[in-house]
Amino acid sequence: MYTRGSVVMVDEMMNSSPPNYRFPEAGLRVMITNHFGPKTRLRMASRLIINEQQRLMQASNGVDSTLVVDGKADTLENGNVPEDKLTEDEENELSSPFVIPGGAMNRLKFIISWPVLALLYFTIPNCGKPRWENFFMLSFFLSTLWIAVFSYFMVWMVTIIGYTLGIPDVIMGITFLAAGTSVPDCIASLIVARQGLGDMAVSNTIGSNVFDILVGLGIPWGIQTMAVNYGSVVKINSRGLLYSVVLLLGSVALTVLGIHVNRWKLDFKLGVYVLMLYGVFLCFSILIEYNVFTFVNLPMCQGGL
C-alpha cells in the first residue's frame, strides 16, 4: 500500500510486472511518447482514457472488455462503436434476388431494385463467402465498371429529362446529378461519423470533391484532347460557371468557419447550418443560370422553332 507522500517508481513497477497490451492499446501508448507531436500525444492520451473508462465500466458490470464473436476478438479500441452483426440468413436476405424480405416497404424496395440486384448478384463475386474471398480484386474492378456504366446512364437520363422540361444542363448537374453521384460519399461519411471518426467524415467530403474536380474532369478532358481528337478543346457552354465556382468556394469557406465556431464538433446545429448553406448555394446558382442577376446563358431552343 502506498501512502500519500510516497514516490511510486512507475518504470520499476512496469519492468517488474510488464503488462500485456493488445496491439491497438500498445499503438496508442507508443504514440504518446516524445517521438510524436503535442497534438498527437494529446489525442492518443484522450483515447487511452476513454478506453480505460470503458474497460472499468465493463469490469464493474461483470463483462470482459474483449468479446469473442465468430472466433475473432471484438473490442472497443480507438473509440470504435460496436456494430450489429447480421446473421447469415439476414445477409442472404439482403443480397440475394431469390429471397423476398418481410415487410411492405422492404418488399416494395425489393421489387423496384430487383433488376439491378439480380444483375450484380450474377456478375460480381461475393467476397463475404469463403469460396470467393480470394477474388476481392475482381470484385473491386467489376464494381467500379458497373459504377461507370450506371453513371453513364444516369447522366444520359438526366440530360434527356432536363431537355424535355426545358431545364438547363448546369441546373440539372448541380441538383439531380450532384445528388445522385454524392450518395456513396454521404453513406461513407455517415458510417465513419457514427463510429466516432468525425475528422474522417469531414475529410471524405472535402477530398471527394477535390478528386471529382481534378481527376473526374481531368481524365475525360485529357482523353478527349490527347487520344480521341488530338489538339482539340472542350468548350463549356455555361457563362455562369464562374459565379458557381465563386459560390462553391464561399460555401466551403463558410463550412470550415462553421465547424471552427462550433469547436470542431459535428452535432445537430452544424447539420442544420450546412443544409442552409446548401440551400442558399442552390438558390443563387439557379437564379444565375436563369439570367436573374446578369445575362449568362442564351434561352434554350424550342422544339417548334
Side-chain angles (χ1 to χ4, degrees), residues 104-291:
M105 291 300 298
N106 292 331
R107 291 182 180 179
L108 179 61
K109 291 187 292 185
F110 175 80
I111 294 174
I112 296 175
S113 61
W114 188 88
V116 177
L117 182 61
L119 183 63
L120 299 180
Y121 180 82
F122 287 109
T123 56
I124 300 178
N126 187 3
C127 297
K129 296 183 178 180
R131 62 175 180 174
W132 297 110
E133 61 183 5
N134 294 327
F135 294 89
F136 58 92
M137 290 301 299
L138 178 62
S139 300
F140 174 77
F141 285 115
L142 290 177
S143 301
T144 306
L145 178 62
W146 278 118
I147 290 175
V149 173
F150 293 150
S151 300
Y152 176 82
F153 280 102
M154 182 180 64
V155 172
W156 173 70
M157 289 187 293
V158 166
T159 304
I160 296 299
I161 293 173
Y163 179 79
T164 303
L165 300 178
I167 303 175
D169 295 338
V170 178
I171 295 179
M172 297 297 292
I174 63 177
T175 53
F176 297 99
L177 188 60
T181 56
S182 300
V183 169
D185 297 333
C186 178
I187 295 176
S189 299
L190 178 63
I191 292 174
V192 297
R194 293 183 63 181
Q195 293 178 351
L197 303 175
D199 50 353
M200 185 179 294
V202 176
S203 301
N204 175 54
T205 56
I206 299 176
S208 62
N209 287 278
V210 174
F211 181 87
D212 293 340
I213 294 173
L214 300 182
V215 180
L217 295 179
I219 290 180
W221 288 358
I223 294 175
Q224 172 67 26
T225 56
M226 292 187 298
V228 178
N229 189 3
Y230 181 78
S232 63
V233 295
V234 179
K235 295 183 179 180
I236 301 176
N237 297 325
S238 176
R239 297 180 182 177
L241 187 61
L242 176 62
Y243 301 98
S244 298
V245 171
V246 173
L247 288 174
L248 177 62
L249 295 177
S251 62
V252 173
L254 290 176
T255 301
V256 177
L257 179 62
I259 296 175
H260 176 71
V261 172
N262 203 41
R263 298 182 179 179
W264 302 97
K265 296 179 181 179
L266 303 180
D267 52 10
F268 178 76
K269 296 183 296 182
L270 185 62
V272 174
Y273 171 73
V274 295
L275 286 178
M276 292 175 60
L277 284 181
Y278 177 72
V280 172
F281 166 78
L282 210 58
C283 291
F284 274 95
S285 298
I286 293 174
L287 293 176
I288 290 173
E289 293 299 329
Y290 273 116
N291 302 326

Side-chain angles (χ1 to χ4, degrees), residues 14 19 21 24-33 44 48 52:
M14 295 183 65
Y21 296 126
E25 187 177 3
L28 293 177
R29 292 183 177 273
V30 169
M31 295 183 71
I32 62 176
T33 59
M44 295 305 107
L48 275 175
E52 183 66 18

